[in-house]
Amino acid sequence: MPKTAFFRIAQEGTTTDRRVIEAKWIDQAAANYDPKKYGARVNLEHFRGLLPDGPFKMYGDVLALKAETIDGKRTLLAQIDPTPELIALNKARQKLYTSCEIDPDFSDSSEAYLVGLAVTDSPASLGTEMLKFAAGQGDQSPLAVRKLHANTHFTAAEAFQLELQSEPGDAIKSVIEKLTGLFKSTEKLSQGEADTSKALDAVAEHLKTVETRFGEIGDVRQTVDELKATVNATNQQLAETVTTLSALTTKLNFTLQTPPRPVAAGGGGQIVTDC
């Protein structure tokens, strides 16, 4: 599954309804988070739709959290598994901010836990203007209906950019893409640049062939190893056969081909003349 590098989702300080995210909550959320216990999902604008094909479906899952001190403040960072739709939104420069949902007393544990993560396009309304709008309204905050629990805190929005971690084998593909795309963005090329572009295209094609052959070499190596094992076993059997044949040949060389003539009997050793 694709996963991102860690990026910032919250810092200690002000929330959307003028409460404060405490530094200890950042540390507790990072230490306590376990997708197997309760997996936080990525939603759109803190809404949770009922239909899987609607605009307010889920856009990924939080895989891991960690806490660091950045600019003198405890900061919560997340690694997520984004859906293709979220990746497409981010590439289209939509929903470029995150606002996390922290429950400071998760499951009556007296410790904080991340229960959700929203992507949004409105950092001002969630971070500044909404503070003024929601001030003094308590439970009448316009965001209250979007919370899993009345005590859940929505943090001020943080800008983020999805950076997917490279998978094994992506290095060659990355080189190919960079080489083939190097001159594609230039609309007008001189003859010399066109020749260079053609040369790079040829190199890219060659790299594709090399990549394919690397895979074939792996298969050939496996086949060669299997053949070596078969040859070694055959050689062992042949050596045993040669040893047996040699012993049989030696035995036959010392075995008389014709049975010995029986010893003559009678006569007492006297010569008898028949006259």
Side-chain angles (χ1 to χ4, degrees):
M1 62 181 176
K3 59 183 178 181
T4 67
F6 279 90
F7 60 91
R8 189 174 75 179
I9 62 171
Q11 276 190 323
E12 60 175 300
T14 308
T15 69
T16 57
D17 48 5
R18 198 165 281 182
R19 287 181 285 184
V20 174
I21 294 292
E22 299 180 16
K24 67 177 182 180
W25 293 351
I26 299 290
D27 293 324
Q28 290 171 359
N32 293 334
Y33 187 73
D34 181 1
K36 294 181 180 179
K37 179 170 64 175
Y38 184 90
R41 307 215 68 195
V42 180
N43 60 65
L44 189 65
E45 300 287 355
H46 295 293
F47 281 109
R48 289 170 170 80
L50 297 178
L51 303 178
D53 57 351
F56 295 104
K57 58 189 174 184
M58 294 297 106
Y59 286 85
D61 296 274
V62 178
L63 300 177
L65 299 176
K66 66 179 180 179
E68 295 180 356
T69 299
I70 300 177
D71 297 331
K73 293 185 177 182
R74 292 302 286 166
T75 303
L76 189 62
L77 298 97
Q79 181 182 55
I80 70 172
D81 171 17
T83 64
E85 291 87 351
L86 180 56
I87 295 174
L89 282 175
N90 191 260
K91 288 182 177 180
R93 298 176 64 188
Q94 303 297 312
K95 308 304 175 186
L96 298 180
Y97 301 87
T98 63
S99 174
C100 66
E101 304 170 3
I102 295 180
D103 186 341
D105 185 18
F106 179 73
S107 190
D108 296 328
S109 65
S110 299
E111 293 197 352
Y113 196 92
L114 182 78
V115 295
L117 180 67
V119 290
T120 177
D121 265 334
S122 306
S125 64
L126 285 177
T128 304
E129 293 175 4
M130 184 64 76
L131 284 175
K132 298 177 181 178
F133 183 65
Q137 296 187 34
D139 293 337
Q140 299 303 315
S141 165
L143 294 179
V145 294
R146 307 189 200 177
K147 296 183 177 183
L148 285 176
H149 190 277
N151 291 331
T152 299
H153 292 59
F154 289 173
T155 63
E158 299 282 351
F160 82 107
Q161 183 176 0
L162 289 180
E163 296 181 7
L164 297 180
Q165 292 184 339
S166 299
E167 297 292 334
D170 283 349
I172 293 179
K173 293 180 181 178
S174 177
V175 172
I176 293 173
E177 291 175 357
K178 289 180 180 179
L179 286 173
T180 55
L182 184 61
F183 289 95
K184 300 298 183 182
S185 60
T186 304
E187 295 182 359
K188 296 182 180 180
L189 297 175
S190 65
Q191 184 59 43
E193 290 174 330
D195 293 340
T196 303
S197 180
K198 290 179 180 179
L200 286 173
D201 286 341
V203 171
E205 288 299 323
H206 179 67
L207 284 176
K208 289 181 180 178
T209 302
V210 170
E211 182 182 14
T212 300
R213 289 183 176 177
F214 271 131
E216 293 174 352
I217 288 173
D219 296 337
V220 170
R221 285 179 176 173
Q222 181 177 356
T223 302
V224 169
D225 290 340
E226 293 174 353
L227 287 175
K228 282 182 178 180
T230 302
V231 169
N232 290 337
T234 302
N235 286 340
Q236 180 66 28
Q237 294 176 355
L238 183 59
E240 294 174 356
T241 301
V242 170
T243 301
T244 302
L245 182 59
S246 177
L248 180 60
T249 301
T250 301
K251 181 178 180 181
L252 290 175
N253 286 338
F254 288 94
T255 301
L256 295 177
Q257 299 298 318
T258 304
R261 180 179 175 182
V263 179
Q270 298 179 357
I271 300 175
V272 178
T273 303
D274 185 10
C275 298

